[in-house]
Amino acid sequence: MIEIILANKNNIKDIQTVSNVAWPNAFKEILSPHQIKYMMNWMYSDESLQEQMYVKNHRYFLAKENDRFLGYMSIEHNCENSGKTKIHKIYILPDQQKKGIGKLLLYRAIAETKKQNDNAIYLNVNKYNENAIGFYKKNGFFLAKEEVIDIGNGFIMDDYVFEKSV
Ligand SMILES: CC(C)(COP(=O)(O)OP(=O)(O)OC[C@H]1O[C@@H](n2cnc3c(N)ncnc32)[C@H](O)[C@@H]1OP(=O)(O)O)[C@@H](O)C(=O)NCCC(=O)NCCS
C-alpha cells in the first residue's frame, strides 16, 4: 500500500534519492544539462532543502511503499500572502508515473489547503512540460497566467501558472 507521509529533515536523503532521478528525467528534453545541474543544486542541496523546510515553511510529503520512496511534493500555504497554497514541487519516479501516485499527492495538497482555509491551489509549470500540463488540466486546473522568471546565472524559467479553486 502506498502511504503519503509528512517529511522532515531526516528525510532529506530520501527526497534527494527520488529527485536525482525524477527531476533530470522530467527536464531532459526541455532544459540544457547545464541548467539542470544548476537548478538541482539550487533546489535540492542539503542546505536548500533545510532552508525550504525550516525558514520558508515549505511542507514536504513523500509517497512511500514499504521502504521505498516513489515521489515527493512540497507545498506552501498562504504563499506570498495570497490566501492560496502553492505546490512548489511534485515529482514521481519515471517508472512509477501514471499509476495514481501523483493524484494521491495532489489530493493530499487539496486536503491540506482546505485545512489551512486557503481558497485555491496553484503552481508554476514549464510551458514545454506537456505531460505535467496534461495532468493539471485533467485534474481541474485552469491557466491563470504566464510568467518568465530570472533564476540567475543567465537562466530563466518560462512558465505557465495553473490554478484550481478548492
Ligand atoms: C505530472 C505527474 C506528477 C503526474 O503524476 P502521475 O502519478 O503520473 O499521475 P496519476 O497517475 O496520478 O494521474 C492522475 C490522473 O491524471 C491523468 N493524467 C496523468 N498524466 C496525464 C497527462 N499527461 N495527460 C492527461 N491526463 C493525465 C491520469 O490518467 C489520471 O486520470 P484518472 O484520475 O482519470 O485515472 C508525474 O507524471 C510526474 O512526476 N512527472 C514528471 C515530473 C513533473 O513534470 N512534475 C511537474 C512539475 S511542474
Side-chain angles (χ1 to χ4, degrees):
M1 199 189 76
I2 295 171
E3 51 179 337
I4 306 297
I5 63 160
L6 179 62
N8 60 37
K9 63 176 182 313
N10 299 323
N11 297 110
I12 282 179
K13 288 280 169 276
D14 303 320
I15 295 165
Q16 289 166 335
T17 300
V18 181
S19 67
N20 282 339
V21 177
W23 208 94
N25 185 72
F27 290 102
K28 63 181 188 290
E29 279 155 24
I30 301 177
L31 303 176
S32 68
H34 250 98
Q35 181 158 356
I36 288 175
K37 198 171 167 201
Y38 173 76
M39 290 183 73
M40 286 295 295
N41 183 54
W42 172 48
M43 294 186 296
Y44 294 108
S45 65
D46 291 354
E47 299 72 28
S48 175
L49 286 168
Q50 289 242 22
E51 186 191 21
Q52 289 166 48
M53 286 179 183
Y54 298 105
V55 182
K56 297 182 170 175
N57 294 322
H58 295 193
R59 299 173 74 203
Y60 270 83
F61 294 86
L62 280 157
K64 184 180 182 201
E65 187 172 41
N66 302 320
D67 283 339
R68 189 176 173 214
F69 294 98
L70 308 178
Y72 59 92
M73 169 181 77
S74 74
I75 61 176
E76 181 183 354
H77 301 300
N78 193 24
C79 188
E80 295 182 334
N81 283 319
S82 61
K84 300 174 187 180
T85 293
K86 181 169 187 177
I87 299 181
H88 284 287
K89 303 181 176 70
I90 179 166
Y91 289 86
I92 314 296
L93 285 174
D95 66 347
Q96 298 296 321
Q97 291 173 15
K98 303 261 160 61
K99 294 178 173 187
I101 304 171
K103 201 156 94 173
L104 277 180
L105 284 167
L106 178 60
Y107 280 17
R108 180 63 179 263
I110 291 169
E112 298 293 336
T113 300
K114 288 180 180 163
K115 249 195 239 172
Q116 297 292 325
N117 291 321
D118 280 350
N119 59 25
I121 191 156
Y122 72 103
L123 53 93
N124 280 57
V125 58
N126 186 289
K127 280 181 187 164
Y128 304 98
N129 190 348
E130 289 171 12
N131 174 49
I133 290 170
F135 170 74
Y136 297 131
K137 284 185 176 166
K138 175 75 203 290
N139 287 284
F141 284 78
F142 66 89
L143 176 58
K145 60 179 176 175
E146 301 184 14
E147 212 163 55
V148 179
I149 303 165
D150 188 336
I151 56 166
N153 251 35
F155 297 122
I156 57 147
M157 292 200 299
D158 192 7
D159 287 350
Y160 290 130
V161 178
F162 274 86
E163 185 169 324
K164 177 185 169 84
S165 300
V166 301

